[in-house]
């Protein structure tokens, strides 16, 4: 059973994340989308809300499950028996941090591979932050997020 972990904040999940999930789920037997509990970073959505939004959005994909983790990703990946960590790369701005994290993780647990999937062209500019910014001021974001997320954003911002 080849398991991979796709970790992130997912505050909230966007079509860019969903694209990576679909592509990674075709490479591995099982994919766990893991929402990080980060006490230093308060999100718009609670971790539980993010999990629910991801669950709704990946329902049609059979081999994907959703979970949360606290602490170091590499420890979580190790304890789960994962073969790989999947990350998406959009632009060079993603690269420095991802490169450093990959080097550190492979020092700590060389048996766990980090796999980078390059963002599809149509999603390469898309981030949770930019979606929230537009939704906050009442712009519809239906083209950029799964339906459950557009609805949740409308509710959150009271539009
Ligand atoms: P983090 O706080 O860990 O960066 P994010 O939720 O912002 O969490 O992103 C999770 C992962 O998804 C990261 O690897 C990020 O580069 C990737 N990602 C985010 N947006 C996109 C996108 N539009 N296309 C492809 N990958 C993306």
């Amino acid at each position: 059973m080849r398991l991979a972990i796709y970790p992130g904040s997912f505050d909230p999940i966007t079509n860019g994340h969903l694209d990576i999930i679909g592509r990674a789920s075709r490479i591995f037997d099982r994919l766990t989308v893991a929402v990080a509990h980060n006490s230093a970073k308060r999100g718009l959505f609670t971790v539980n809300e993010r999990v629910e939004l991801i669950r709704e959005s990946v329902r049609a994909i059979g081999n994907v499950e959703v979970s949360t983790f606290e602490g170091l990703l590499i420890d979580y990946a190790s304890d789960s028996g994962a073969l790989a960590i999947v990350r998406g790369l959009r632009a060079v701005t993603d690269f420095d941090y991802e490169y450093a994290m990959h080097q550190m993780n492979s020092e700590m647990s060389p048996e766990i591979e980090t796999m980078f999937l390059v963002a599809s062209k149509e999603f390469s500019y898309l981030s949770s932050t930019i979606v929230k910014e537009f939704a906050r001021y009442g712009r519809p974001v239906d083209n950029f997020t799964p339906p459950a997320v557009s609805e949740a954003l409308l509710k959150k911002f009271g539009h």
Side-chain angles (χ1 to χ4, degrees):
M1 178 69 86
R2 302 166 81 83
L3 167 72
I5 310 276
Y6 178 38
S9 314
F10 304 104
D11 184 38
I13 183 169
T14 69
N15 287 347
H17 293 127
L18 210 48
D19 178 61
I20 298 288
I21 293 169
R23 289 161 59 195
S25 72
R26 291 193 284 277
I27 301 172
F28 294 96
D29 298 317
R30 261 175 54 219
L31 181 72
T32 301
V33 181
V35 180
H37 274 278
N38 184 347
S39 45
K41 231 168 54 177
R42 228 187 86 90
L44 175 66
F45 292 97
T46 67
V47 167
N48 283 344
E49 287 172 328
R50 295 180 218 174
V51 165
E52 275 315 304
L53 290 172
I54 301 169
R55 284 215 173 104
E56 289 231 358
S57 311
V58 303
R59 201 171 277 155
I61 315 175
N63 60 340
V64 175
E65 61 204 34
V66 189
S67 181
T68 65
F69 71 99
E70 262 173 280
L72 283 177
L73 167 64
I74 197 68
D75 292 334
Y76 172 70
S78 215
D79 293 346
S80 320
L83 211 65
I85 293 167
V86 171
R87 295 286 287 173
L89 277 184
R90 281 161 296 186
V92 282
T93 43
D94 280 341
F95 185 78
D96 285 353
Y97 175 78
E98 295 297 342
Y99 182 74
M101 198 46 112
H102 163 263
Q103 295 299 52
M104 196 67 182
N105 283 342
S106 59
E107 286 284 326
M108 301 282 173
S109 296
E111 72 286 1
I112 298 179
E113 195 60 75
T114 303
M115 277 186 50
F116 295 106
L117 296 186
V118 174
S120 298
K121 211 168 47 195
E122 64 266 45
F123 305 123
S124 58
Y125 60 92
L126 198 56
S127 66
S128 302
T129 306
I130 213 155
V131 160
K132 282 183 283 192
E133 192 62 15
F134 279 80
R136 184 185 306 276
Y137 297 103
R139 286 286 186 163
V141 291
D142 313 52
N143 289 342
F144 311 102
T145 63
V149 172
S150 326
E151 240 173 72
L153 282 167
L154 279 178
K155 266 199 209 131
K156 223 16 136 187
F157 292 124
H159 291 295

